[in-house]
Amino acid sequence: MKNLLLCWGGDWDLPSVHTDSLIVLAYAKFSGAKLAVKSIDWTWRTITASVPQLHYEASTVTEPTQILNFLRKQRFNADYELTAKQGADTMAYIALLEEKLRPALLHTFWVDADNYANLTRPWFTSHSPFPLNFFVPGRQASLALSRILLTKAESPLLNITEVEGKIYSEAKECLNLLSHRLGNFHFFFGDTPTSLDAFVFGHIAPLIKAPLPSGQLQKHLNQLDNLCQFCNTILKNYFNASAEKRTDCSPTAIHDPVDANLQKLTQLVNKESNLIEKMDDNLRSSPQHRPNSTPPS
Amino acid sequence: MSLAAEAFVSQIAAAEPWPEKATLYQPLKEDQILLSDSASSLAVQTFLRMCGLPVQVSCCANAEYMSPSGKVPFIHVGNQVVSELGPIVQFIKAKGHSLSDGLDDVQRAEMKAYMELVNNMLLTAELYIQWCDDYTATEISRPRYSSPYSWPLNHILAYQKQWEVRRKMNAIGWSGKNLEQVYEDVSQCCQALSQRLGTQPYFFNKQPTELDALVFGHLFTILTTQLTNDELAEKVKSYTNLLSFCHRIEQTYFKEHDRESQSGSSRHSKGSLP
């Protein structure tokens, strides 16, 4: 049974940096669908394919909503236990995300000059093959800008700066609403994740994890602890396999959890010894101590 | 446009009282207004009635150009002009009238989410059917939209509006859909609304909120407007609790008013619910 999912590659602790791809990846993990994931980085598909794209046996499906519907039909259903009302709530919250949060996300990553020049464009340029690296980021940026202007700008104000205030305040309100709805629960509908969790995760994970130079929305999101916790829980429980395979960040990126504990212990011991050294330092440089003994280096 | 309107002031404690002359502007009801604009306008009128605030409806051919945001309807209250349901709700809340004060945070989040669902799905579907479906655009939308103007302005304005709407559909990814998929989306949206409503009288049990006004505005207009075929209305009719919801609101808030002002004689609208 051939099944293949094409999506953008990952970075910043995430399996993918692209919102729509993250939604599909998360849903696949939640519903237990085994998909072979292939990233389109450094291929010509960066400009030809509409990502994410699922190739399942003979058919091809694009768009997160369509892919999720397709997976449900193949009996990979994470929404199995939802009531009818919860299913309706899912649709409503997804609409809220698309209307209120997506424009601000597009703006943060693609239109804000600081972020675009320092983070988004270099990333996409470095992940596209020559000569596409000249076109791919620019094309995405202009698509993002036109989407924001066409949906949010009222006709006398076709200027992006006047729309900015409005979309950011709507996005902050949307994040607050999501935080209220999530409350103290692990997931939006109880203890098991559903498609709504996949959508929310896909939208907020890049915002939490990306090292944005200018991120007012990111700051706002970091104040909403339960959403950050939600995101980290999903990453830890469902995506930790991909996090362990990465060997770049810390020198102790190891598979065995026992070794991870050992690493934590080592860090604690190091901290303690640093403290002890400092105390020693203070003692030696204190007036009571004899001044002729040399302090330890 | 002169404001020769009469309305009586409602005595409720507010920052500023609701003025005597408050007017709601929309395009011409008989000849010009289209499905999506009519739905938005009805939603605002319903909301104002639910708040108990009287307003005079004034139909002008250039309502769209008078509006501060380019969208209809808009209300002229005192010396302020506010358009679209969202800002109008906030404006009225500032004056001290609100339908959603009794909701807690989670319910308010749900209400906003459902309002976005209606805007995202129903309104977009209405726009799609009116302007992206060639047959409807040619037969109904373009002639109606440009009816107050003479040649060649009517052609120019109609095509300009159509181009604008198609650009927007393209930007949000709806241009790849065909009519069947749009009807399917409308059906799913109605199913979600129907499941949320259940057997309750209003979406948040006993009291109507702006969500009820919005849903009523859209559903009532869909049910009572004649398009090239009846498929859209049929999709809505298959949910009986939504039908009875519309009946109930029509009876409660529109019955005592002058029935003739409810477009009983309009060619475009079929009048009251079947």
Side-chain angles (χ1 to χ4, degrees):
Chain A
M1 213 184 292
K2 273 183 44 177
N3 49 17
L4 184 64
L5 177 69
L6 295 173
C7 54
W8 279 102
D11 202 352
W12 322 317
D13 281 346
L14 296 172
S16 171
V17 303
H18 184 225
T19 291
D20 288 341
S21 310
L22 268 179
I23 293 173
V24 178
L25 285 170
Y27 185 81
K29 292 275 183 194
F30 297 158
S31 62
K34 299 272 181 297
L35 296 178
V37 177
K38 189 161 172 216
S39 89
I40 58 168
D41 300 0
W42 300 295
T43 66
W44 280 80
R45 288 207 184 97
T46 44
I47 209 154
T48 54
S50 116
V51 176
Q53 208 176 75
L54 178 67
H55 294 277
Y56 199 87
E57 287 167 4
S59 48
T60 302
V61 193
T62 56
E63 300 267 317
T65 330
Q66 310 279 5
I67 296 182
L68 260 58
N69 283 340
F70 184 83
L71 286 175
R72 272 192 214 107
K73 288 203 190 91
Q74 303 292 327
R75 293 201 295 270
F76 293 113
N77 193 354
D79 299 337
Y80 189 67
E81 291 174 0
L82 293 183
T83 64
K85 180 175 171 309
Q86 287 172 327
D89 282 350
T90 304
M91 275 186 75
Y93 277 105
I94 291 175
L96 186 72
L97 282 173
E98 284 291 322
E99 277 287 316
K100 302 272 183 183
L101 191 55
R102 174 82 72 146
L105 283 182
L106 286 175
H107 187 277
T108 304
F109 280 95
W110 293 100
V111 182
D112 181 290
D114 217 357
N115 292 335
Y116 180 62
N118 294 327
L119 182 72
T120 321
R121 196 175 60 195
W123 195 94
F124 279 88
T125 310
S126 61
H127 283 74
S128 309
F130 180 84
L132 295 179
N133 51 351
F134 294 116
F135 303 117
V136 166
R139 186 162 153 270
Q140 301 260 28
S142 62
L143 281 176
L145 181 63
S146 71
R147 176 164 172 164
I148 296 175
L149 284 178
L150 285 175
T151 52
K152 287 292 166 185
E154 300 157 349
S155 50
L157 325 156
L158 284 176
N159 190 346
I160 189 68
T161 48
E162 285 147 348
V163 184
E164 273 171 21
K166 180 170 153 209
I167 55 180
Y168 275 108
S169 69
E170 281 185 351
K172 286 177 187 161
E173 195 196 332
C174 175
L175 289 173
N176 291 341
L177 290 175
L178 285 174
S179 181
H180 283 136
R181 176 65 182 78
L182 181 62
N184 289 328
F185 296 105
H186 280 141
F187 300 109
F188 278 90
F189 294 117
D191 284 330
T192 48
T194 57
S195 49
L196 178 60
D197 301 286
F199 268 88
V200 175
F201 174 72
H203 281 86
I204 65 177
L207 193 57
I208 292 180
K209 294 286 181 183
L212 293 167
S214 91
Q216 44 157 325
L217 197 58
Q218 190 179 46
K219 287 197 192 76
H220 184 91
L221 180 54
N222 283 332
Q223 292 168 350
L224 298 170
D225 286 329
N226 59 350
L227 287 178
C228 298
Q229 197 61 31
F230 166 79
C231 182
N232 288 328
T233 309
I234 291 186
L235 278 174
K236 196 170 65 143
N237 292 338
Y238 293 93
F239 290 105
N240 55 359
S242 56
E244 282 170 4
K245 282 205 200 89
R246 286 178 48 245
T247 51
D248 47 349
C249 57
S250 62
T252 54
I254 26 188
H255 313 284
D256 198 355
V258 173
D259 286 334
N261 286 337
L262 183 61
Q263 173 212 347
K264 276 195 204 134
L265 199 57
T266 319
Q267 277 178 349
L268 274 171
V269 169
N270 284 340
K271 259 195 228 158
E272 288 291 332
S273 65
N274 283 340
L275 273 171
I276 292 175
E277 271 190 26
K278 248 196 224 146
M279 275 168 51
D280 201 11
D281 243 341
N282 287 340
L283 265 168
R284 286 183 193 280
S285 55
S286 72
Q288 290 104 320
H289 201 81
R290 302 285 300 233
N292 53 1
S293 62
T294 56
S297 55
Chain B
M1 196 59 74
S2 67
L3 308 170
E6 285 180 37
F8 44 89
V9 179
S10 53
Q11 298 298 321
I12 303 174
E16 286 171 16
W18 190 255
E20 293 180 2
K21 300 179 194 175
T23 325
L24 180 139
Y25 288 90
Q26 65 173 31
L28 300 173
K29 197 180 295 192
E30 297 279 327
D31 300 315
Q32 191 193 17
I33 198 168
L34 291 174
L35 175 59
S36 49
D37 296 334
S38 180
S40 310
S41 175
L42 185 58
V44 172
Q45 287 177 47
T46 313
F47 178 71
L48 290 172
R49 281 179 197 235
M50 286 175 176
C51 292
L53 298 170
V55 73
Q56 186 81 4
V57 176
S58 168
C59 298
C60 316
N62 59 344
E64 200 176 346
Y65 301 108
M66 285 200 283
S67 159
S69 70
K71 298 207 173 68
V72 288
F74 65 94
I75 56 174
H76 183 197
V77 174
N79 58 356
Q80 283 163 318
V81 182
V82 192
S83 65
E84 292 188 77
L85 184 64
I88 289 177
V89 169
Q90 284 182 332
F91 175 73
I92 289 182
K93 190 167 174 177
K95 288 204 172 291
H97 309 269
S98 172
L99 293 178
S100 54
D101 274 342
L103 302 180
D104 62 26
D105 284 331
V106 175
Q107 283 177 318
R108 191 164 291 134
E110 268 189 43
M111 183 185 77
K112 293 216 191 277
Y114 275 96
M115 284 176 76
E116 286 311 319
L117 178 69
V118 172
N119 278 335
N120 208 0
M121 287 263 183
L122 277 185
L123 182 61
T124 320
E126 285 165 10
L127 282 173
Y128 181 95
I129 292 172
Q130 279 167 214
W131 293 105
C132 298
D133 175 36
D134 286 323
Y135 187 54
T136 314
T138 320
E139 293 290 313
I140 298 183
S141 311
R142 286 204 297 264
R144 280 185 72 88
Y145 183 76
S146 54
S147 53
Y149 309 109
S150 60
W151 191 90
L153 190 59
N154 53 358
H155 279 290
I156 298 172
L157 288 179
Y159 278 104
Q160 184 185 45
K161 177 78 175 175
Q162 180 172 321
W163 181 75
E164 258 178 49
V165 174
R166 286 195 181 182
R167 256 181 88 201
K168 184 175 164 183
M169 292 292 135
N170 217 357
I172 58 176
W174 275 59
S175 54
K177 296 196 185 193
N178 59 16
L179 208 51
E180 284 309 313
Q181 284 172 322
V182 171
Y183 285 139
E184 184 56 39
D185 282 340
V186 169
S187 191
Q188 277 188 3
C189 179
C190 289
Q191 188 183 25
L193 290 172
S194 171
Q195 280 165 352
R196 178 65 182 83
L197 182 63
T199 49
Q200 297 169 338
Y202 299 110
F203 276 94
F204 289 97
N205 209 6
K206 295 289 186 300
Q207 296 301 322
T209 55
E210 46 263 32
L211 175 61
D212 301 279
L214 183 64
V215 173
F216 172 72
H218 280 274
L219 294 183
F220 186 84
T221 321
I222 290 177
L223 289 167
T224 55
T225 307
Q226 246 169 352
L227 291 173
T228 51
N229 59 13
D230 278 336
E231 207 169 324
L232 195 58
E234 291 301 319
K235 295 280 176 198
V236 177
K237 274 190 211 161
S238 56
Y239 298 99
T240 46
N241 63 345
L242 292 179
L243 269 184
S244 54
F245 170 79
C246 292
H247 268 297
R248 193 180 317 120
I249 294 199
E250 192 198 357
Q251 301 269 321
T252 319
Y253 292 101
F254 288 92
K255 193 175 66 166
E256 67 271 16
H257 207 78
D258 193 356
R259 288 311 292 258
E260 287 169 16
S261 69
Q262 281 311 107
S263 64
S265 55
S266 157
R267 247 182 330 123
H268 189 58
S269 162
K270 288 191 278 214
S272 55
L273 283 173

